[in-house]
Amino acid sequence: MKNGKKLAGTLAIPVIVFAACLLISSAQGIVLFDSLLSWTTFVRAAANTVLVTFALSINLNSGRFDFSIGSIALLSSVISSMITLKTGAGPLAMLVLSVFFGCLLGLLSGLLYVTVKLPPIIVSLAVALFYEGFAFTLTGGHGVTLAGNAEILGFGTIPNYLLVILTALVFMVIVYDHTRFGYEYKALLSGQKVSVSTGINEVKNAVLCYVIAGGLMGAQGFISATNNGSITMALNFGSISVMFLAFLPMFVGGFIGRFTNDKLGYLLGALSMAVISLIYVRLNVSSSYQQIISAVLMVSFLIYLNNEGRLKQIFRH
Amino acid sequence: MKSVKKFFALCLSLLMVFTLTACSQESGGGSSDDPSQKTVKIGVLVSDTTSAEALAFKAYYEKYIQSVYNVEFMYSDELKDASAEQSAIDNFIANNCQAIISFASADRPAQIEKCESEGIYYAVATGTLTDEQYEKYKGYAHYVGAIGPDLAAEYQAGYDMAKHFLDQGYTKFGMFTGASVYYTEMHIYRAAGMLAAMCEAGKGTYEGAEGMAIVGKIMGEGGNVNPGKIGSVEVNGVVAGYDFDDAWYGKLTAVANDPNVEVLLAVGSGQVAFAGFKPEGKMLGDIDCYTADSVGLMEKGTLNYLAGKFSASIGPVFAATLSAVYGKPVRDNDGNALALSQGYWVADNAEDAKKYYEVDSSTTEPAYTKEMLDTLIGASYDDFAKFVAAYSFEEIQK
């Protein structure tokens, strides 16, 4: 019975979202998953979303609002693609480089935060501006074009995206649930003062969190670049928008996390978002409607979370 | 002792007076009769700082014009709305700019009114005013004018691009209409031009409209172009906006890979919108500008048609602005400001694109050199108009 409740709680939101999307699309006379392209669109969106959600959640759960994750994805993919194009290396090398530079940029961001001791929101805004400007200068503002490079663009297949999703999930579960670093991270979440007094090094933990978030965003930057065929520049906080991709799946994941592992919750939240993205594509929903729908979904979910107790009481009576 | 102090103070005062006089002469710079001896500060309002086109324009002003004329350009940040434009103008005024060249169009009337009231020359680059706006502002003393593709030229650019592929027998199209959904007229007119060409070739109408009437049809649909049949021609997929999210890229991928689409037409940014997803064998046409990347894409066969603004096309509007600052505004016989249209350089093969790009990207011998622009300082309206009208690559190279 307990397991049944857990399973129901875990799957409720994704199942409802999938069912609603299938219902809406069939009411419009459209098959949601009609071709390989639809599946690719769905899996790619899931990969993008889950990576950003993991990256955002790492620091946000610890109360560190990190606005720089989008700029890390931008700069790491710019550097890795420039090296790859120059050396003629393949997509795997570009992925490894992108993750490496993502970790490095995350490390710099984390070190800056623990050194200057300013609120993370301010530090991350400064870092975002710096990384955006650096990427702009590196490319002369023109960005990077990968269009026509069949080998690199060829990465965008369903098995590759699934492999990235699975790797990220396994990595997150192992690092945050089965290592000393992960236990310390959780201890710091539940009470920083007590944890530090027991000997946990909160500075080291925070820096490592930035490194991991950076690496995940490096992978996300790579997926974006190889899918889009180009990396367009962003200035004046233009890279921040990628964060908004992760808010709803993070809230959904947090809810699902009550019933199962929270990382699996984030993944299920990302899958729910991905199917919503797919229905936007299949029904060719205009961007203005998309924004309205996404905002309504998020606000409704937050209203539900805030009034959950009251709702339960109402239904009990 | 007291008198020594007084003498010392007097000496210091005199030294200060002489120093200040010398400084003021220095900043005035040489003969006061020749205006070209004084550095003219020009503010540039921009709403886009990252597109290839914006970068090319900036390079022409900063790397070429600034090196050959005694001018200094001061660029605004990326301006997103009318209030940001007003703040940027205030900033230019505070920095002693004598003129403003505007690439930003959130609220052009407000820009013109502000510059007129502040006594600063104002010109519109790469665009034009509407007929109503021109009628209102053409007599303003500080309104220099507008030089750039007018809406008829934008319509024609779209028409020519679609016709290029229709003439080759293609009948199934996918479209990217960019900022049409944000009511950007330039993109709406280009899209309307494409549809008008399809109406002619397919012997049909776009939802009952043809020719310029299609503009109204698109406006009435919230800037959206709807897929459908136009006689024997088919528009089988349309994407708009610049969302850069998973759904947006998904829509672009779906249109690019639709087996019922032979040709992808973009009102702009086609190299970002479609080039990465386009399967081999499909055609891609774009209205943008010439860059190393676009030439590379044409060489690979990814991009098959490009109508591009050339970076030096903003040379004449600079010359008109400088002429006004020098006290020789270019006006027609009725004293009205400039309103001139320019067109695009069109390449349908890599050789032409390469040739255009080589000239366009040159910082020593661009399409419009100082010698050519000098002929416009103090020129008559007719001579100016004649110069601007000869915009094709071949005419300029002559």
Side-chain angles (χ1 to χ4, degrees):
Chain A
M1 183 63 190
K2 209 176 174 187
N3 282 342
K5 196 180 172 186
K6 272 188 178 177
L7 189 67
T10 304
L11 296 176
I13 292 178
V15 167
I16 290 169
V17 172
F18 268 74
C21 289
L22 285 168
L23 210 67
I24 294 166
S25 58
S26 59
Q28 299 286 322
I30 287 170
V31 181
L32 194 57
F33 292 94
D34 76 322
S35 64
L36 184 67
L37 195 64
S38 301
W39 282 104
T40 310
T41 303
F42 168 69
V43 180
R44 182 181 55 238
N48 258 330
T49 312
V50 80
L51 288 169
V52 182
T53 308
F54 282 155
L56 184 70
S57 67
I58 291 170
N59 281 314
L60 197 55
N61 285 344
S62 302
R64 295 186 292 266
F65 214 112
D66 187 1
F67 279 110
S68 69
I69 57 170
S71 65
I72 290 178
L74 175 74
L75 183 54
S76 59
S77 59
V78 162
I79 298 171
S80 64
S81 59
M82 286 173 89
I83 294 172
T84 309
L85 289 175
K86 206 160 194 175
T87 58
L92 194 64
M94 186 175 157
L95 174 60
V96 172
L97 284 169
S98 213
V99 172
F100 170 75
F101 284 110
C103 288
L104 192 67
L105 295 170
L107 174 69
L108 292 176
S109 177
L111 286 176
L112 186 68
Y113 162 61
V114 296
T115 307
V116 299
K117 294 187 172 66
L118 281 170
I121 197 166
I122 295 170
V123 175
S124 70
L125 284 172
V127 169
L129 275 180
F130 177 72
Y131 286 169
E132 284 176 358
F134 194 58
F136 188 91
T137 310
L138 267 181
T139 63
H142 291 285
V144 180
T145 298
L146 300 167
N149 191 322
E151 193 188 1
I152 291 175
L153 298 185
F155 181 87
T157 60
I158 291 175
N160 285 341
Y161 290 137
L162 286 176
L163 197 64
V164 169
I165 293 171
L166 198 68
T167 308
L169 179 67
V170 170
F171 172 80
M172 287 294 288
V173 169
I174 290 174
V175 169
Y176 282 91
D177 295 338
H178 299 284
T179 63
R180 185 177 166 176
F181 162 77
Y183 298 141
E184 290 179 352
Y185 172 82
K186 282 179 183 164
L188 286 163
L189 283 188
S190 55
Q192 188 168 345
K193 213 171 177 181
V194 177
S195 306
V196 172
S197 66
T198 61
I200 293 174
N201 186 338
E202 86 278 21
V203 171
K204 188 177 143 194
N205 197 278
V207 172
L208 271 172
C209 284
Y210 276 97
V211 172
I212 293 169
L216 290 165
M217 288 313 293
Q220 194 273 335
F222 165 81
I223 287 183
S224 278
T226 51
N227 169 58
N228 309 341
S230 61
I231 307 169
T232 46
M233 290 299 100
L235 285 175
N236 302 320
F237 304 120
S239 63
I240 285 177
S241 59
V242 75
M243 279 173 64
F244 300 109
L245 185 71
F247 281 122
L248 187 55
M250 227 189 104
F251 295 134
V252 171
F255 175 81
I256 297 174
R258 296 176 192 176
F259 308 99
T260 183
N261 184 291
D262 56 346
K263 282 90 191 168
L264 184 64
Y266 294 142
L267 175 60
L268 291 172
L271 290 173
S272 307
M273 279 303 293
V275 79
I276 293 171
S277 278
L278 180 63
I279 200 167
Y280 289 155
V281 175
R282 298 291 294 133
L283 300 185
N284 202 14
V285 179
S286 71
S287 60
S288 49
Y289 283 115
Q290 273 183 45
Q291 283 174 17
I292 293 167
I293 296 165
S294 299
V296 166
L297 284 174
M298 191 155 91
V299 171
S300 308
F301 192 67
L302 288 175
I303 290 171
Y304 168 75
L305 287 180
N306 272 345
N307 297 283
E308 213 179 342
R310 260 186 258 173
L311 285 169
K312 274 180 186 168
Q313 271 185 346
I314 291 167
F315 283 111
R316 261 182 213 146
H317 292 296
Chain B
M1 185 64 185
K2 215 174 181 182
S3 58
V4 174
K5 270 188 183 172
K6 273 184 183 171
F7 175 73
F8 200 63
L10 181 70
C11 285
L12 275 175
S13 305
L14 284 171
L15 184 70
M16 213 165 124
V17 169
F18 284 129
T19 310
L20 285 174
T21 313
C23 283
S24 68
Q25 276 177 353
E26 212 169 330
S27 65
S31 160
S32 58
D33 293 340
D34 185 358
S36 67
Q37 295 300 306
K38 293 180 185 169
T39 301
V40 175
K41 265 184 141 180
I42 300 175
V44 185
L45 295 171
V46 287
S47 56
D48 170 16
T49 53
T50 54
S51 73
E53 185 181 278
L55 291 164
F57 287 146
K58 192 173 183 182
Y60 178 67
Y61 272 176
E62 290 196 333
K63 289 185 181 163
Y64 181 71
I65 293 291
Q66 209 163 256
S67 69
V68 293
Y69 282 99
N70 193 7
V71 295
E72 187 185 330
F73 290 104
M74 186 178 172
Y75 270 73
S76 73
D77 287 335
E78 196 164 278
L79 305 170
K80 294 290 182 199
D81 52 40
S83 70
E85 291 173 353
Q86 293 294 306
S87 302
I89 293 173
D90 284 335
N91 190 32
F92 290 149
I93 293 165
N95 280 282
N96 299 318
C97 288
Q98 291 163 269
I100 288 173
I101 296 176
S102 176
F103 292 82
S105 58
D107 193 347
R108 281 218 168 105
Q111 293 175 26
I112 296 171
E113 293 286 3
K114 185 161 183 84
C115 289
E116 185 69 12
S117 66
E118 298 288 348
I120 293 177
Y121 289 105
Y122 174 92
V124 175
T126 71
T128 52
L129 299 184
T130 62
D131 290 345
E132 295 76 27
Q133 288 170 347
Y134 181 68
E135 279 308 309
K136 188 173 178 188
Y137 302 119
K138 66 185 181 185
Y140 276 30
H142 292 89
Y143 177 59
V144 175
I147 302 170
D150 61 9
L151 294 175
E154 301 293 4
Y155 176 89
Q156 193 62 42
Y159 177 93
D160 290 343
M161 182 164 74
K163 192 170 186 309
H164 171 80
F165 292 107
L166 288 160
D167 286 347
Q168 292 176 47
Y170 293 107
T171 56
K172 294 172 180 174
F173 292 85
M175 288 172 68
F176 173 62
T177 63
S180 67
V181 285
Y182 314 137
Y183 289 101
T184 299
E185 287 179 324
M186 176 176 79
H187 285 183
I188 290 174
Y189 275 75
R190 287 176 188 173
M194 293 175 198
L195 295 168
M198 292 176 201
C199 289
E200 276 182 22
K203 305 205 184 317
T205 63
Y206 171 71
E207 299 187 346
E210 53 189 325
M212 274 284 187
I214 296 170
V215 172
K217 202 81 194 167
I218 297 174
M219 293 270 196
E221 292 280 336
N224 286 296
V225 170
N226 299 317
K229 286 198 172 185
I230 302 173
S232 59
V233 177
E234 295 171 27
V235 177
N236 288 322
V238 181
V239 184
Y242 289 96
D243 300 341
F244 296 106
D245 59 11
D246 287 320
W248 188 71
Y249 283 115
K251 288 175 200 170
L252 291 166
T253 314
V255 172
N257 289 276
D258 188 331
N260 290 315
V261 169
E262 299 166 333
V263 180
L264 299 158
L265 299 177
V267 297
S269 313
Q271 293 154 65
V272 172
F274 283 133
F277 319 112
K278 189 184 81 108
E280 269 183 43
K282 290 197 182 183
M283 296 286 123
L284 173 61
D286 190 16
I287 304 173
D288 209 312
C289 73
Y290 290 91
T291 63
D293 284 338
S294 61
V295 173
L297 289 174
M298 285 200 103
E299 282 172 337
K300 285 175 188 164
T302 307
L303 182 63
N304 312 97
Y305 181 101
L306 179 62
K309 280 178 191 164
F310 53 106
S311 61
S313 64
I314 56 172
V317 79
F318 158 75
T321 307
L322 193 64
S323 194
V325 173
Y326 287 171
K328 302 170 195 168
V330 182
R331 300 266 160 176
D332 69 7
N333 293 334
D334 299 322
N336 297 325
L338 287 161
L340 301 171
S341 181
Q342 280 170 315
Y344 293 89
W345 286 356
V346 175
D348 59 4
N349 60 73
E351 288 72 36
D352 280 352
K354 207 171 172 182
K355 190 170 69 180
Y356 296 166
Y357 175 65
E358 272 167 15
V359 172
D360 199 37
S361 59
S362 170
T363 52
T364 51
E365 285 293 320
Y368 288 142
T369 59
K370 182 178 188 297
E371 290 68 38
M372 296 162 88
L373 296 179
D374 278 346
T375 63
L376 299 176
I377 311 278
S380 70
Y381 192 102
D382 289 343
D383 287 344
F384 207 107
K386 209 171 151 188
F387 181 95
V388 172
Y391 63 81
S392 74
F393 182 80
E394 289 72 22
E395 285 172 307
I396 292 173
Q397 290 301 300
K398 276 181 196 169

